[in-house]
Amino acid sequence: MTKVRFYKADKGFTGFEISGHACLSLDTPDVLCAAISGMTMLTVNTLIECFGVEVDFVSDEKKPLIKAELLSCPDKNRDAANGVVQGFVLQLQDFASQYPNNLYVEVN
């Protein structure tokens, strides 16, 4: 199972952590894992390149584990950056409702 934890503070999202494999398919490439990975990179790249967010990003495929900590964000882009992460949360929650045995999403 893939577990995703999002972290929030007063000003919005401060990061997220993704661990485990969805294990949707053992015989073919796992499309759920691929979708989660693609959305993760889209989110991180958009935060960095479009909104100037400083992100400490760590990926370890052996564990498997991804961590992203949002270190700083220009004030003028804070709402937009939070919107990008909120969109990521909503899409993952939608997937979790379709695949409850393979994906768990939590917002702290």
Side-chain angles (χ1 to χ4, degrees):
M1 173 178 277
T2 297
K3 295 180 181 178
V4 185
R5 289 180 179 84
F6 288 90
Y7 303 101
K8 291 180 86 173
D10 293 338
K11 293 186 178 182
F13 290 96
T14 59
F16 57 87
E17 183 176 310
I18 303 170
S19 62
H21 277 296
C23 299
L24 182 63
S25 173
L26 300 176
D27 298 327
T28 60
D30 193 324
V31 296
L32 183 56
C33 273
I36 293 167
S37 294
M39 289 187 305
T40 301
M41 293 315 303
L42 173 67
T43 299
V44 170
N45 288 332
T46 300
L47 290 171
I48 294 169
E49 300 299 328
C50 297
F51 297 109
V53 178
E54 184 182 350
V55 178
D56 182 17
F57 182 79
V58 176
S59 176
D60 185 340
E61 291 184 26
K62 292 179 184 178
K63 288 194 178 184
L65 178 69
I66 294 173
K67 289 184 180 182
E69 182 180 359
L70 285 58
L71 301 174
S72 67
C73 179
D75 285 337
K76 67 180 183 173
N77 294 340
R78 189 168 311 281
D79 289 342
N82 275 308
V84 169
V85 179
Q86 183 63 44
F88 186 32
V89 170
L90 293 171
Q91 186 59 53
L92 288 174
Q93 287 173 331
D94 183 51
F95 281 165
S97 70
Q98 294 175 53
Y99 304 102
N101 296 321
N102 307 92
L103 177 60
Y104 171 79
V105 179
E106 168 182 305
V107 179
N108 293 318

XYZ file of all heavy atoms in Angstrom:
829
model
N 0.844 -1.189 0.000
C 0.000 0.000 0.000
C 0.882 1.242 0.000
O 1.889 1.297 0.685
C -0.914 0.011 1.226
C -1.685 1.316 1.341
S -2.829 1.398 2.718
C -4.218 0.564 2.001
N 0.461 2.228 -0.770
C 1.123 3.524 -0.756
C 0.427 4.403 0.269
O -0.805 4.488 0.280
C 1.072 4.195 -2.144
O 1.780 3.378 -3.072
C 1.692 5.574 -2.108
N 1.213 5.043 1.121
C 0.683 5.972 2.115
C 1.235 7.354 1.818
O 2.445 7.515 1.642
C 1.067 5.539 3.520
C 0.443 4.220 3.917
C 0.838 3.816 5.313
C 0.198 2.471 5.636
N 0.567 1.990 6.962
N 0.341 8.323 1.776
C 0.737 9.702 1.513
C 0.282 10.553 2.684
O -0.892 10.527 3.060
C 0.115 10.242 0.206
C 0.653 11.632 -0.103
C 0.369 9.291 -0.961
N 1.222 11.290 3.244
C 0.916 12.197 4.350
C 1.287 13.622 3.934
O 2.425 13.867 3.537
C 1.695 11.803 5.597
C 1.196 10.526 6.204
C 1.976 10.128 7.451
N 1.421 8.907 8.007
C 1.750 7.690 7.594
N 2.631 7.540 6.649
N 1.195 6.623 8.141
N 0.322 14.505 4.033
C 0.542 15.920 3.759
C 0.601 16.652 5.086
O -0.156 16.335 6.007
C -0.596 16.499 2.911
C -0.574 16.021 1.486
C -1.265 14.879 1.123
C 0.138 16.699 0.517
C -1.254 14.416 -0.180
C 0.165 16.246 -0.792
C -0.535 15.106 -1.138
N 1.472 17.639 5.168
C 1.646 18.403 6.399
C 1.264 19.855 6.150
O 1.609 20.433 5.117
C 3.095 18.303 6.881
C 3.513 16.868 7.101
C 4.277 16.193 6.165
C 3.099 16.170 8.236
C 4.635 14.864 6.358
C 3.451 14.843 8.437
C 4.220 14.199 7.482
O 4.563 12.884 7.681
N 0.535 20.432 7.123
C 0.074 21.814 7.014
C 0.444 22.592 8.271
O 0.588 22.025 9.336
C -1.450 21.858 6.853
C -1.955 21.339 5.536
C -3.462 21.424 5.456
C -3.848 22.798 4.965
N -5.293 22.915 4.697
N 0.555 23.888 8.091
C 0.738 24.825 9.198
C -0.204 25.998 8.933
O -1.033 25.942 8.020
C 2.192 25.280 9.279
N -0.052 27.065 9.677
C -0.949 28.217 9.555
C -1.025 28.785 8.147
O -2.088 29.177 7.693
C -0.522 29.330 10.517
C -0.707 28.924 11.970
O -1.516 28.022 12.241
O -0.022 29.501 12.822
N 0.114 28.835 7.461
C 0.147 29.468 6.140
C -0.093 28.493 5.001
O 0.022 28.852 3.850
C 1.473 30.192 5.945
C 1.638 31.382 6.857
C 2.889 32.139 6.542
C 3.016 33.352 7.443
N 4.205 34.142 7.128
N -0.402 27.250 5.304
C -0.693 26.288 4.244
C 0.174 25.048 4.341
O 0.701 24.716 5.399
N 0.331 24.394 3.229
C 1.083 23.144 3.193
C 2.568 23.372 3.416
O 3.139 24.336 2.918
C 0.867 22.433 1.851
C -0.514 21.878 1.699
C -1.497 22.592 1.037
C -0.843 20.647 2.238
C -2.776 22.092 0.909
C -2.118 20.135 2.129
C -3.092 20.862 1.459
N 3.172 22.467 4.180
C 4.609 22.560 4.465
C 5.384 21.387 3.870
O 6.606 21.389 3.899
C 4.867 22.595 5.983
O 4.336 21.399 6.574
C 4.225 23.823 6.609
N 4.672 20.398 3.345
C 5.350 19.282 2.718
C 4.497 18.045 2.655
O 3.318 18.057 3.026
N 5.113 16.966 2.160
C 4.425 15.686 2.094
C 5.440 14.562 2.072
O 6.621 14.762 1.786
C 3.487 15.605 0.884
C 4.139 15.837 -0.449
C 4.730 14.787 -1.150
C 4.152 17.096 -1.017
C 5.309 14.992 -2.382
C 4.738 17.322 -2.257
C 5.314 16.263 -2.934
N 4.947 13.371 2.394
C 5.773 12.165 2.411
C 4.975 11.037 1.775
O 3.794 10.852 2.081
C 6.127 11.810 3.846
C 7.030 10.622 3.988
C 7.418 10.387 5.437
O 7.855 11.354 6.096
O 7.269 9.243 5.889
N 5.614 10.297 0.875
C 4.978 9.183 0.191
C 5.820 7.948 0.447
O 7.034 7.964 0.224
C 4.869 9.441 -1.325
C 4.110 10.744 -1.587
C 4.198 8.260 -2.024
C 4.150 11.204 -3.031
N 5.186 6.876 0.914
C 5.939 5.650 1.189
C 5.160 4.433 0.707
O 3.932 4.450 0.647
C 6.238 5.514 2.688
O 5.039 5.434 3.420
N 5.901 3.394 0.354
C 5.299 2.125 -0.043
C 4.967 2.050 -1.517
O 5.117 3.006 -2.268
N 4.527 0.858 -1.914
C 4.073 0.604 -3.282
C 2.584 0.314 -3.267
O 2.083 -0.338 -2.355
C 4.806 -0.605 -3.876
C 6.141 -0.271 -4.430
N 6.328 0.571 -5.498
C 7.378 -0.685 -4.060
C 7.614 0.666 -5.764
N 8.282 -0.081 -4.897
N 1.896 0.758 -4.297
C 0.451 0.540 -4.385
C 0.113 -0.937 -4.573
O -0.930 -1.392 -4.121
C -0.139 1.358 -5.528
N 0.980 -1.669 -5.248
C 0.771 -3.110 -5.486
C -0.567 -3.393 -6.152
O -1.222 -4.391 -5.854
C 0.908 -3.912 -4.198
S 2.534 -3.785 -3.454
N -0.972 -2.503 -7.050
C -2.212 -2.714 -7.786
C -2.059 -3.886 -8.741
O -2.966 -4.690 -8.917
C -2.597 -1.441 -8.548
C -3.899 -1.480 -9.322
C -5.076 -1.687 -8.386
C -4.081 -0.194 -10.107
N -0.874 -4.008 -9.343
C -0.626 -5.096 -10.280
C 0.749 -5.681 -10.021
O 1.732 -4.944 -9.901
C -0.700 -4.582 -11.721
O -0.307 -5.602 -12.613
N 0.820 -6.988 -9.944
C 2.108 -7.657 -9.766
C 2.620 -8.220 -11.081
O 3.800 -8.528 -11.211
C 1.977 -8.776 -8.726
C 1.539 -8.323 -7.336
C 1.351 -9.523 -6.421
C 2.551 -7.353 -6.741
N 1.725 -8.366 -12.076
C 2.093 -8.973 -13.349
C 2.487 -7.965 -14.421
O 3.230 -8.284 -15.339
C 0.929 -9.816 -13.880
C 0.580 -10.958 -12.936
O 1.498 -11.481 -12.281
O -0.612 -11.303 -12.851
N 1.977 -6.761 -14.329
C 2.250 -5.721 -15.318
C 2.727 -4.474 -14.582
O 2.625 -4.391 -13.360
C 0.969 -5.387 -16.112
O -0.034 -4.921 -15.199
C 0.448 -6.609 -16.861
N 3.235 -3.502 -15.314
C 3.621 -2.257 -14.633
C 2.444 -1.688 -13.838
O 1.297 -1.739 -14.285
C 4.011 -1.336 -15.791
C 4.438 -2.270 -16.882
C 3.532 -3.478 -16.740
N 2.742 -1.190 -12.672
C 1.713 -0.693 -11.766
C 1.304 0.717 -12.174
O 2.028 1.684 -11.916
C 2.237 -0.722 -10.330
C 1.142 -0.515 -9.298
O 0.219 0.273 -9.561
O 1.221 -1.148 -8.240
N 0.140 0.826 -12.804
C -0.304 2.125 -13.303
C -0.618 3.107 -12.174
O -0.469 4.315 -12.351
C -1.509 2.003 -14.264
C -1.121 1.241 -15.516
C -2.697 1.345 -13.591
N -1.041 2.607 -11.016
C -1.326 3.506 -9.896
C -0.032 4.113 -9.370
O 0.040 5.326 -9.142
C -2.091 2.783 -8.791
C -2.517 3.633 -7.593
C -3.360 4.831 -8.039
C -3.292 2.787 -6.587
N 1.002 3.298 -9.196
C 2.310 3.831 -8.769
C 2.840 4.836 -9.797
O 3.364 5.888 -9.426
C 3.325 2.707 -8.573
S 3.291 1.968 -6.936
N 2.689 4.505 -11.070
C 3.160 5.410 -12.122
C 2.404 6.735 -12.079
O 3.004 7.811 -12.216
C 3.010 4.752 -13.487
N 1.095 6.674 -11.863
C 0.298 7.899 -11.790
C 0.719 8.748 -10.596
O 0.866 9.975 -10.710
C -1.190 7.558 -11.707
N 0.915 8.119 -9.449
C 1.329 8.848 -8.245
C 2.691 9.491 -8.462
O 2.898 10.667 -8.125
C 1.340 7.914 -7.013
C -0.083 7.470 -6.677
C 1.988 8.602 -5.812
C -0.164 6.306 -5.695
N 3.621 8.751 -9.053
C 4.961 9.302 -9.325
C 4.892 10.484 -10.277
O 5.541 11.510 -10.046
C 5.865 8.216 -9.916
O 6.102 7.204 -8.983
N 4.114 10.341 -11.331
C 3.983 11.438 -12.298
C 3.367 12.680 -11.682
O 3.835 13.804 -11.911
N 2.315 12.496 -10.884
C 1.680 13.643 -10.229
C 2.614 14.293 -9.218
O 2.611 15.514 -9.061
C 0.383 13.217 -9.537
C -0.723 12.883 -10.499
S -2.293 12.575 -9.679
C -1.868 11.306 -8.509
N 3.412 13.472 -8.551
C 4.364 14.010 -7.578
C 5.366 14.916 -8.262
O 5.621 16.047 -7.814
C 5.092 12.861 -6.844
O 4.126 12.055 -6.177
C 6.098 13.402 -5.841
N 5.952 14.444 -9.353
C 6.963 15.244 -10.050
C 6.338 16.488 -10.681
O 6.950 17.554 -10.686
C 7.688 14.402 -11.093
C 8.536 13.303 -10.467
S 9.547 13.830 -9.044
C 10.522 15.143 -9.736
N 5.119 16.370 -11.204
C 4.427 17.537 -11.739
C 4.234 18.586 -10.651
O 4.496 19.778 -10.854
C 3.070 17.133 -12.323
C 2.172 18.287 -12.775
C 2.782 18.994 -13.972
C 0.784 17.779 -13.087
N 3.814 18.147 -9.478
C 3.586 19.060 -8.358
C 4.883 19.735 -7.928
O 4.949 20.967 -7.807
C 2.949 18.306 -7.170
O 1.691 17.775 -7.592
C 2.754 19.225 -5.977
N 5.927 18.949 -7.709
C 7.205 19.499 -7.246
C 7.793 20.436 -8.288
O 8.230 21.557 -7.958
C 8.191 18.365 -6.880
C 9.590 18.915 -6.644
C 7.697 17.600 -5.662
N 7.796 20.038 -9.559
C 8.357 20.899 -10.600
C 7.558 22.184 -10.769
O 8.133 23.259 -10.981
C 8.436 20.143 -11.930
C 9.516 19.092 -11.919
O 10.515 19.214 -11.215
N 9.329 18.040 -12.695
N 6.235 22.115 -10.648
C 5.410 23.318 -10.751
C 5.690 24.267 -9.593
O 5.827 25.481 -9.792
C 3.911 22.936 -10.781
O 3.675 22.089 -11.914
C 3.027 24.167 -10.865
N 5.790 23.716 -8.387
C 6.095 24.561 -7.229
C 7.423 25.285 -7.414
O 7.530 26.496 -7.176
C 6.132 23.713 -5.954
C 4.794 23.163 -5.471
C 5.003 22.155 -4.341
C 3.876 24.292 -5.025
N 8.434 24.548 -7.858
C 9.774 25.127 -7.998
C 9.854 26.089 -9.176
O 10.263 27.248 -9.020
C 10.829 24.007 -8.152
C 10.928 23.188 -6.863
C 12.193 24.587 -8.544
C 11.732 21.905 -7.002
N 9.484 25.607 -10.355
C 9.720 26.371 -11.586
C 8.706 27.482 -11.844
O 9.051 28.508 -12.421
C 9.763 25.424 -12.793
C 10.854 24.377 -12.711
C 12.261 24.964 -12.656
O 12.507 26.040 -13.241
O 13.130 24.338 -12.009
N 7.473 27.289 -11.438
C 6.435 28.279 -11.728
C 6.176 29.254 -10.586
O 5.791 30.397 -10.834
C 5.126 27.576 -12.082
S 5.234 26.565 -13.564
N 6.389 28.786 -9.349
C 6.027 29.622 -8.204
C 7.193 29.960 -7.290
O 7.000 30.591 -6.256
C 4.887 28.972 -7.417
C 3.638 28.849 -8.244
C 3.203 27.616 -8.685
C 2.924 29.972 -8.623
C 2.068 27.496 -9.470
C 1.794 29.878 -9.410
C 1.362 28.632 -9.835
N 8.402 29.536 -7.654
C 9.588 29.919 -6.892
C 9.672 29.349 -5.495
O 10.342 29.913 -4.628
N 9.015 28.215 -5.263
C 9.051 27.583 -3.947
C 10.375 26.841 -3.801
O 10.809 26.135 -4.713
C 7.869 26.600 -3.775
C 7.933 25.908 -2.420
C 6.540 27.333 -3.942
N 11.026 27.026 -2.671
C 12.237 26.261 -2.373
C 11.788 24.945 -1.743
O 11.101 24.936 -0.718
C 13.140 27.028 -1.415
C 14.443 26.325 -1.141
C 15.315 27.061 -0.144
O 15.000 28.216 0.213
O 16.309 26.464 0.295
N 12.145 23.834 -2.384
C 11.695 22.515 -1.945
C 12.901 21.632 -1.664
O 13.799 21.509 -2.493
C 10.813 21.844 -3.026
C 10.386 20.443 -2.588
C 9.589 22.701 -3.345
N 12.909 21.036 -0.479
C 13.902 20.008 -0.165
C 13.252 18.682 -0.545
O 12.300 18.235 0.100
C 14.255 20.034 1.318
C 15.311 19.008 1.689
O 16.005 18.491 0.789
O 15.435 18.717 2.888
N 13.754 18.058 -1.617
C 13.138 16.864 -2.184
C 14.091 15.686 -2.073
O 15.247 15.772 -2.468
C 12.796 17.119 -3.660
C 12.105 15.971 -4.332
C 10.756 15.742 -4.135
C 12.812 15.130 -5.173
C 10.118 14.681 -4.768
C 12.180 14.064 -5.805
C 10.829 13.849 -5.599
N 13.602 14.583 -1.507
C 14.399 13.371 -1.349
C 13.604 12.203 -1.909
O 12.416 12.053 -1.600
C 14.718 13.103 0.145
C 15.465 11.792 0.304
C 15.498 14.253 0.739
N 14.248 11.392 -2.738
C 13.607 10.209 -3.298
C 14.528 9.013 -3.109
O 15.706 9.073 -3.463
C 13.327 10.423 -4.791
O 12.794 9.263 -5.364
N 13.997 7.945 -2.539
C 14.763 6.721 -2.329
C 13.927 5.554 -2.856
O 12.987 5.107 -2.196
C 15.076 6.534 -0.841
C 15.967 5.334 -0.565
O 16.046 4.422 -1.418
O 16.567 5.297 0.521
N 14.256 5.082 -4.056
C 13.472 4.019 -4.680
C 13.631 2.681 -3.984
O 12.775 1.817 -4.110
C 13.848 3.902 -6.158
C 13.392 5.095 -6.969
C 13.668 4.937 -8.447
O 13.749 3.796 -8.920
O 13.803 5.968 -9.118
N 14.702 2.492 -3.248
C 14.920 1.216 -2.568
C 13.973 1.017 -1.398
O 13.610 -0.105 -1.076
C 16.372 1.100 -2.100
C 17.348 0.984 -3.244
C 18.768 0.889 -2.751
C 19.730 0.873 -3.933
N 21.116 0.829 -3.500
N 13.575 2.114 -0.730
C 12.760 1.965 0.495
C 11.293 1.653 0.227
O 10.752 0.878 1.016
C 12.907 3.212 1.360
C 14.258 3.265 1.999
C 14.304 4.286 3.097
C 15.694 4.243 3.737
N 15.827 5.122 4.855
N 10.540 2.070 -0.635
C 10.495 3.299 -1.409
C 9.949 4.463 -0.564
O 9.039 4.271 0.246
C 9.550 2.970 -2.552
C 8.620 1.976 -1.960
C 9.410 1.202 -0.938
N 10.503 5.648 -0.807
C 10.143 6.812 -0.006
C 10.416 8.089 -0.788
O 11.455 8.212 -1.442
C 10.956 6.821 1.285
C 10.764 7.987 2.229
C 9.378 7.932 2.869
C 11.834 7.986 3.298
N 9.481 9.010 -0.712
C 9.652 10.349 -1.272
C 9.274 11.332 -0.177
O 8.235 11.182 0.472
C 8.745 10.585 -2.494
C 9.166 9.682 -3.661
C 8.760 12.054 -2.909
C 8.219 9.739 -4.842
N 10.123 12.328 0.017
C 9.820 13.404 0.972
C 10.019 14.735 0.264
O 11.006 14.929 -0.445
C 10.752 13.353 2.178
C 10.509 12.211 3.115
C 11.433 12.327 4.321
C 11.225 11.195 5.294
N 12.079 11.334 6.483
N 9.091 15.637 0.494
C 9.208 16.991 -0.021
C 8.846 17.956 1.100
O 7.742 17.888 1.648
C 8.296 17.202 -1.219
N 9.794 18.804 1.437
C 9.546 19.832 2.446
C 9.578 21.186 1.752
O 10.556 21.514 1.077
C 10.603 19.769 3.543
C 10.359 20.774 4.640
C 11.413 20.708 5.738
O 12.326 19.876 5.667
O 11.317 21.536 6.663
N 8.514 21.952 1.904
C 8.433 23.275 1.302
C 9.084 24.254 2.262
O 8.540 24.551 3.322
C 6.980 23.654 1.026
C 6.319 22.967 -0.181
C 6.330 21.461 -0.080
C 4.926 23.480 -0.383
N 10.280 24.711 1.884
C 11.092 25.524 2.794
C 10.719 26.996 2.774
O 10.700 27.644 3.813
C 12.575 25.342 2.442
C 13.094 23.904 2.511
C 14.524 23.833 2.011
C 12.978 23.363 3.927
N 10.485 27.522 1.590
C 10.110 28.932 1.491
C 9.326 29.146 0.211
O 9.455 28.401 -0.750
C 11.348 29.834 1.509
O 12.112 29.635 0.334
N 8.504 30.203 0.232
C 7.684 30.542 -0.920
C 7.511 32.049 -0.945
O 7.226 32.654 0.094
C 6.318 29.867 -0.799
S 5.188 30.240 -2.151
N 7.683 32.676 -2.106
C 7.414 34.111 -2.178
C 5.962 34.386 -1.752
O 5.038 33.669 -2.148
C 7.622 34.436 -3.658
C 8.507 33.338 -4.182
C 8.136 32.125 -3.389
N 5.777 35.399 -0.929
C 4.439 35.711 -0.411
C 3.404 35.865 -1.520
O 2.273 35.404 -1.377
C 4.472 36.978 0.451
C 5.098 36.728 1.810
O 5.110 35.563 2.264
O 5.578 37.700 2.426
N 3.794 36.486 -2.630
C 2.840 36.716 -3.727
C 2.377 35.415 -4.373
O 1.344 35.386 -5.034
C 3.443 37.642 -4.782
C 4.605 37.035 -5.529
C 5.171 37.976 -6.569
C 6.294 37.277 -7.336
N 6.759 38.066 -8.442
N 3.117 34.316 -4.177
C 2.774 33.037 -4.794
C 2.223 32.008 -3.810
O 1.915 30.884 -4.188
C 4.009 32.439 -5.488
C 4.458 33.268 -6.659
O 3.698 34.064 -7.199
N 5.701 33.109 -7.052
N 2.094 32.390 -2.551
C 1.702 31.431 -1.515
C 0.350 30.780 -1.800
O 0.205 29.561 -1.703
C 1.681 32.106 -0.148
C 1.487 31.105 0.987
C 1.742 31.703 2.350
N 2.987 32.452 2.461
C 4.200 31.913 2.610
N 4.333 30.605 2.647
N 5.264 32.675 2.718
N -0.658 31.566 -2.161
C -1.987 30.997 -2.424
C -1.962 30.058 -3.624
O -2.576 28.985 -3.590
C -3.026 32.098 -2.647
C -3.365 32.849 -1.372
O -3.084 32.329 -0.266
O -3.914 33.964 -1.478
N -1.262 30.444 -4.668
C -1.181 29.600 -5.863
C -0.443 28.300 -5.551
O -0.867 27.219 -5.979
C -0.486 30.348 -6.996
N 0.649 28.383 -4.813
C 1.412 27.187 -4.455
C 0.574 26.249 -3.602
O 0.567 25.026 -3.819
C 2.700 27.576 -3.732
N -0.168 26.808 -2.655
C -1.063 25.981 -1.841
C -2.148 25.343 -2.697
O -2.548 24.202 -2.458
C -1.675 26.792 -0.703
C -0.778 26.853 0.494
O -0.307 25.830 0.982
N -0.525 28.054 0.967
N -2.606 26.072 -3.706
C -3.605 25.524 -4.624
C -3.072 24.339 -5.413
O -3.792 23.359 -5.651
N -1.811 24.403 -5.817
C -1.190 23.292 -6.538
C -1.148 22.054 -5.648
O -1.514 20.946 -6.070
C 0.230 23.669 -7.019
C 0.986 22.450 -7.526
C 0.158 24.736 -8.099
N -0.710 22.230 -4.403
C -0.643 21.085 -3.485
C -2.043 20.578 -3.166
O -2.283 19.362 -3.113
C 0.139 21.430 -2.202
C 0.172 20.234 -1.261
C 1.560 21.873 -2.534
N -3.009 21.477 -2.996
C -4.385 21.054 -2.716
C -4.940 20.240 -3.883
O -5.638 19.248 -3.676
C -5.286 22.262 -2.443
C -6.711 21.892 -2.070
C -6.804 21.113 -0.775
O -6.150 21.441 0.210
N -7.598 20.060 -0.759
N -4.611 20.629 -5.116
C -5.032 19.848 -6.275
C -4.437 18.449 -6.251
O -5.111 17.462 -6.593
N -3.174 18.345 -5.836
C -2.503 17.053 -5.689
C -3.234 16.209 -4.639
O -3.526 15.029 -4.863
C -1.044 17.318 -5.302
C -0.148 16.111 -5.233
C -0.310 15.009 -6.040
C 0.922 16.118 -4.350
C 0.555 13.915 -5.972
C 1.796 15.038 -4.272
C 1.598 13.932 -5.078
N -3.570 16.822 -3.515
C -4.312 16.129 -2.457
C -5.643 15.606 -2.995
O -5.987 14.431 -2.802
C -4.576 17.055 -1.240
C -5.547 16.412 -0.259
C -3.288 17.441 -0.554
N -6.388 16.459 -3.668
C -7.711 16.068 -4.167
C -7.630 14.909 -5.152
O -8.443 13.976 -5.102
C -8.411 17.263 -4.813
C -8.799 18.385 -3.857
C -9.290 19.596 -4.636
C -9.830 17.915 -2.859
N -6.640 14.951 -6.048
C -6.509 13.869 -7.016
C -6.127 12.561 -6.334
O -6.664 11.502 -6.655
C -5.481 14.217 -8.091
C -5.409 13.185 -9.192
C -6.736 12.996 -9.913
O -7.335 13.954 -10.377
N -7.207 11.763 -9.996
N -5.218 12.638 -5.374
C -4.843 11.422 -4.642
C -6.015 10.879 -3.828
O -6.215 9.664 -3.744
C -3.640 11.690 -3.742
C -2.305 11.869 -4.469
C -1.224 12.282 -3.490
C -1.903 10.599 -5.204
N -6.807 11.766 -3.234
C -7.982 11.316 -2.492
C -8.986 10.630 -3.415
O -9.620 9.641 -3.037
C -8.635 12.485 -1.753
C -7.836 12.946 -0.565
C -8.385 14.208 0.084
O -9.009 15.048 -0.573
N -8.138 14.354 1.374
N -9.117 11.135 -4.634
C -9.988 10.502 -5.616
C -9.480 9.095 -5.949
O -10.249 8.136 -5.970
C -10.074 11.358 -6.878
C -11.030 10.784 -7.895
O -12.189 10.478 -7.529
O -10.628 10.637 -9.070
N -8.181 8.961 -6.187
C -7.599 7.642 -6.433
C -7.786 6.726 -5.225
O -8.067 5.547 -5.380
C -6.113 7.747 -6.763
C -5.801 8.163 -8.174
C -4.531 8.587 -8.499
C -6.745 8.124 -9.186
C -4.212 8.953 -9.793
C -6.447 8.492 -10.485
C -5.174 8.914 -10.795
N -7.609 7.266 -4.024
C -7.756 6.454 -2.805
C -9.185 5.933 -2.664
O -9.384 4.819 -2.167
C -7.353 7.253 -1.571
N -10.166 6.706 -3.086
C -11.550 6.224 -3.021
C -11.789 5.109 -4.033
O -12.612 4.224 -3.804
C -12.542 7.367 -3.221
O -12.521 7.829 -4.559
N -11.054 5.132 -5.146
C -11.187 4.085 -6.154
C -10.380 2.836 -5.791
O -10.749 1.727 -6.183
C -10.707 4.597 -7.505
C -11.549 5.704 -8.078
C -10.939 6.246 -9.348
O -10.647 5.492 -10.269
N -10.723 7.551 -9.400
N -9.270 3.030 -5.073
C -8.349 1.944 -4.729
C -8.034 1.965 -3.231
O -6.890 2.177 -2.834
C -7.052 2.068 -5.543
C -7.275 2.114 -7.033
C -7.220 3.326 -7.720
C -7.545 0.952 -7.744
C -7.425 3.366 -9.092
C -7.751 0.989 -9.111
C -7.696 2.196 -9.781
O -7.900 2.239 -11.138
N -9.043 1.738 -2.381
C -8.828 1.859 -0.931
C -7.846 0.838 -0.350
O -7.314 1.068 0.735
C -10.232 1.681 -0.350
C -10.979 0.911 -1.385
C -10.407 1.354 -2.709
N -7.617 -0.252 -1.032
C -6.663 -1.253 -0.545
C -5.233 -0.981 -0.999
O -4.309 -1.707 -0.606
C -7.074 -2.655 -1.004
C -8.392 -3.073 -0.420
O -8.689 -2.799 0.738
N -9.212 -3.728 -1.213
N -5.078 0.054 -1.849
C -3.768 0.325 -2.440
C -3.215 1.701 -2.121
O -2.010 1.932 -2.276
C -3.852 0.184 -3.956
C -4.433 -1.136 -4.376
O -5.636 -1.245 -4.577
N -3.601 -2.161 -4.475
N -4.074 2.619 -1.680
C -3.633 3.998 -1.456
C -4.362 4.585 -0.263
O -5.596 4.502 -0.157
C -3.895 4.844 -2.704
C -3.553 6.326 -2.632
C -2.075 6.557 -2.346
C -3.965 7.020 -3.927
N -3.587 5.208 0.624
C -4.115 5.884 1.806
C -3.561 7.309 1.802
O -2.369 7.517 1.623
C -3.683 5.156 3.073
C -4.008 5.890 4.341
C -5.293 5.868 4.867
C -3.023 6.614 5.013
C -5.593 6.550 6.039
C -3.321 7.297 6.178
C -4.605 7.265 6.687
O -4.907 7.937 7.835
N -4.443 8.296 1.994
C -4.038 9.702 1.995
C -4.490 10.346 3.295
O -5.628 10.177 3.716
C -4.668 10.464 0.794
C -4.261 11.934 0.819
C -4.273 9.811 -0.519
N -3.566 11.088 3.899
C -3.834 11.746 5.188
C -3.315 13.174 5.107
O -2.236 13.430 4.563
C -3.096 10.944 6.250
C -2.971 11.537 7.587
C -2.157 10.609 8.504
O -2.517 9.430 8.643
O -1.155 11.084 9.047
N -4.065 14.103 5.677
C -3.629 15.506 5.759
C -3.546 15.864 7.229
O -4.529 15.772 7.957
C -4.596 16.453 5.029
C -4.130 17.894 5.160
C -4.740 16.062 3.568
N -2.346 16.243 7.687
C -2.117 16.616 9.090
C -1.932 18.120 9.205
O -1.173 18.706 8.520
C -0.846 15.936 9.636
C -1.025 14.439 9.723
O -2.062 13.960 10.122
N 0.003 13.721 9.347
